Amino acid sequence: AANDPRVFVMSFGLYAKKVGMTQVFMEDGLRVPVTVLQIQDNVVIQKKTAENDGYLAIQVGTDAAREKRTTGAMLGHFKKGNVAPQRFIKEMRDDTPTSKIAGLNVGDKIGIDVLKGVKSVDIAGMSKGRGTQGVMKRHHMKGFRATHGTHEYFRHGGSIGMRATPGKVHKGKRMPGRMGDERVTVLNVTVVRLDEEKGLIFLRGQVPGAKGGIIEVYPSKHSAQKGRRMTQETQIASKNPMKASKAGAGAAPKGGKK
């Protein structure tokens, strides 16, 4: 949330804004649906060192905020680093020998070059808020049959209680309630293309949140996904031997004539 003093700790990465979806064409002509993220101005607000804090990390902020809407405590924190107030803050920690954090100082900006050569990324963001929802939408329950005397009970969740023992509703029982508007992390999302000039990153995979939402992006430690149809050959090839044999034998079409 805006001006939230809580700081999320994560590995070295950066903030981006979700622009929306589009499509790109690969070199062989295959059309691939992608989600576009625009890299925001990631400003280093604070730097933590092993000598003073016991570990190496930096605090990064993005999405400039008005001083009028910034709390006094956070405003003093920003003024200490001589940077403008930011709406979103995260702490990035990297204690590895090849850490990129060691060369950054307060006031520096982190750009899209961090993701150069990266094949997949891990992302996190706030999902779309759905408000109060029933059990069919929230928990994918099938509901009751609409025949044989069922009245006003089609989308209900069924009984929730117990008998005298234990005489209570178990914790975690799936019931209607608030849905969405929670932090969602998606691992190993494929990077299709980078536009360094415009600061855009094109991803193939799930990206949580609505258009205009802030997404945390950082290089994935997982191997790039296999089986994603990124070329025409993998899309046309069939693993079904029957289909392959019929196609090779010149089987008749559905109309019954060749």
Side-chain angles (χ1 to χ4, degrees):
N3 301 327
D4 193 340
R6 294 176 300 175
V7 178
F8 298 104
V9 180
M10 59 179 291
S11 58
F12 189 68
L14 69 167
Y15 276 119
K17 178 177 288 187
K18 184 176 180 179
V19 178
M21 289 198 66
T22 184
Q23 58 189 11
V24 297
F25 292 87
M26 308 304 289
E27 295 180 357
D28 59 354
L30 178 66
R31 184 183 64 180
V32 177
V34 294
T35 302
V36 184
L37 302 182
Q38 185 174 25
I39 304 302
Q40 298 287 100
D41 289 336
N42 290 254
V43 184
V44 179
I45 300 172
Q46 182 185 17
K47 183 175 182 179
K48 297 186 177 182
T49 60
E51 295 76 13
N52 298 331
D53 306 282
Y55 64 99
L56 182 62
I58 57 174
Q59 281 187 12
V60 177
T62 190
D63 201 2
R66 297 168 57 184
E67 292 188 5
K68 182 179 180 180
R69 297 186 177 181
T70 305
T71 61
M74 294 304 298
L75 193 60
H77 181 64
F78 292 125
K79 288 184 177 180
K80 185 177 180 180
N82 195 24
V83 295
Q86 306 292 323
R87 291 184 60 211
F88 299 90
I89 301 176
K90 70 176 179 181
E91 182 174 294
M92 300 187 300
R93 180 173 177 174
D94 190 357
D95 294 328
T96 59
T98 59
S99 174
K100 299 179 181 179
I101 294 178
L104 296 174
N105 297 310
V106 176
D108 292 346
K109 293 185 178 181
I110 305 174
I112 195 174
D113 55 330
V114 174
L115 302 176
K116 193 172 183 179
V118 175
K119 296 183 178 180
S120 62
V121 295
D122 298 336
I123 59 177
M126 299 297 291
S127 63
K128 293 181 180 179
R130 304 298 183 181
T132 302
Q133 297 296 333
V135 293
M136 293 185 69
K137 182 172 182 177
R138 192 181 185 208
H139 300 296
H140 308 291
M141 294 185 180
K142 70 175 183 178
F144 287 79
R145 63 184 183 181
T147 57
H148 295 284
T150 301
H151 290 282
E152 297 79 40
Y153 211 75
F154 307 105
R155 301 181 65 87
H156 284 216
S159 62
I160 63 171
M162 304 290 289
R163 294 189 175 185
T165 303
K168 64 180 180 180
V169 178
H170 289 301
K171 291 183 178 180
K173 182 67 177 178
R174 295 183 298 169
M175 298 175 64
R178 177 177 170 180
M179 180 180 178
D181 193 26
E182 58 185 0
R183 183 178 171 85
V184 176
T185 301
V186 183
L187 304 178
N188 204 16
V189 181
T190 305
V191 177
V192 178
R193 186 177 300 174
L194 283 179
D195 190 335
E196 298 184 22
E197 183 179 351
K198 297 181 179 179
L200 301 177
I201 175 174
F202 299 84
L203 304 178
R204 184 175 189 187
Q206 301 175 359
V207 178
K211 295 179 182 178
I214 299 297
I215 305 295
E216 299 174 13
V217 183
Y218 49 101
S220 177
K221 297 181 180 179
H222 302 80
S223 300
Q225 292 187 22
K226 296 182 179 180
R228 302 292 284 181
R229 296 181 175 179
M230 303 292 285
T231 62
Q232 287 280 19
E233 294 180 358
T234 56
Q235 190 175 30
I236 295 175
S238 174
K239 295 182 180 180
N240 191 330
M242 294 299 294
K243 290 183 179 180
S245 61
K246 289 180 180 180
K254 291 184 178 180
K257 295 182 180 180
K258 290 185 178 180

